[in-house]
Amino acid sequence: MDERSGARYPLTDPRWRGDDGAPLTVSALPGITREDVDTGTRSLWRYRAALPLDIPAPVSLGEGLTPLVEKAWGEVPVLFKLEWFSPTGSFKDRGSSVMISLLAQRGVPEVIEDSSGNGGASVAAYCAAAGIRATILAPESTSPAKVLQARAYGARVELVPGDRDATAAETLRRSARTYYAGHNWHPFFLQGTKTLAYELWEDLGFTAPDNVVTVAGAGSTVLGCDLGFSELLASGQIRRRPRLLVAQPAHCAPIHAAFHGEPAAPFAPTIAEGAAIRAPVRLPEVVRAVRRSDGDMAAVPEDDIATAARRLAALGLYAEPTSATAAAAIDVFRARGAIRPGETTVVLLTGSGLKAATTMSTLFTDRNDAS
């Protein structure tokens, strides 16, 4: 459905946006109970009963079931959800598996996708597994490791001059000729990311955490958690939604600005490249999701992101700077009282430091040279 106009379209319609150009979501689903979890399946497809369509032959690489590791962040006990244990090294595999499974079931032979790196690598991998041709458009500043990964899977990768939004605009122009498997647009991508909520529910003994801290660029982890926890609430499996505590790099924080009713600050380059999206297509929906959870948002300075990446590494967690943005925000949310003593707080680490080798080299070589 189109939440902005109220228009509804059948699930069998292959469209990825509404007639008015707005993004689509799947209408509210009733959710599942613990008895519906297929515990014999070692992937996110153990939650297939929560999906809106039956997909008998999913395209799976074993995504999901990522570790939940207990650590102390200063004085705050947290549980880090290590999404880089996904097959391509980022949480995007959840959405790609479900989206590409649907497209493969419908017989789509070729797709085009735009990405700042992780999404493109993920879509390329699942297209390879499904036998679907893929063209990935990425900003010219994309990490070489992410470009290489997508090409290794057999995708055609084109680097587009300009920023992330220029890449998105070019891809939309080409979508008139090739099916657009845009991870920020396709409603079934969010059906994959919502398994994060179901998995956390199962990880915690079929209960919900008090808080989920995540970084947002387009906001798919926010929307996925909102969908999943809303369904668990509807099915009576949890008593309330966790608070969604969302971080953006201060150099690119349009959702943060909208949430706080402020004008967006001028854009500047950020080491959190995965979150450098100036005009998220689902911005109002992300803001509503955070508010619905009684959550909060923070804009994190570059130095704090870099410091958080180093602090994570000192804990044995090698997270790319985009992920480290969420960790950096723990201190902000604790200071505001959004994270309270005695609560269960999950922090999503969405991608591996191996995905941003050039930036990570700068962060750590400077420190080691000085020691």
Side-chain angles (χ1 to χ4, degrees), residues 73 271 301-313 324 328 363 367:
W73 189 260
I271 58 173
E302 293 293 292
D303 287 348
D304 291 353
I305 297 171
T307 297
R310 294 180 178 121
R311 286 178 66 184
L312 286 168
L363 293 179
R367 185 181 68 169

Side-chain angles (χ1 to χ4, degrees), residues 61 84 86-90 92-93 118 121-122 125-126 149 153 355:
L61 297 170
W84 64 64
S86 301
T88 75
S90 87
K92 298 286 177 61
D93 293 345
N118 284 335
S122 181
Y126 284 85
Q149 187 178 15
Y153 293 130
K355 307 297 286 289

Side-chain angles (χ1 to χ4, degrees), residues 294-324:
D294 193 28
D296 197 4
M297 294 201 64
V300 183
E302 293 293 292
D303 287 348
D304 291 353
I305 297 171
T307 297
R310 294 180 178 121
R311 286 178 66 184
L312 286 168
L315 295 174
L317 303 174
Y318 194 58
E320 67 174 330
T322 302
S323 297

Side-chain angles (χ1 to χ4, degrees), residues 74-90:
E75 297 180 354
V76 183
V78 298
L79 296 165
F80 286 110
K81 185 67 167 167
L82 308 186
E83 284 291 284
W84 64 64
F85 277 83
S86 301
T88 75
S90 87

Side-chain angles (χ1 to χ4, degrees), residues 26 36 49 54 56 72 77 79 113 159 239 275 294 313 329:
V26 175
D36 297 315
D54 181 37
L79 296 165
E113 147 80 327
L159 298 181
R239 290 180 292 179
D294 193 28

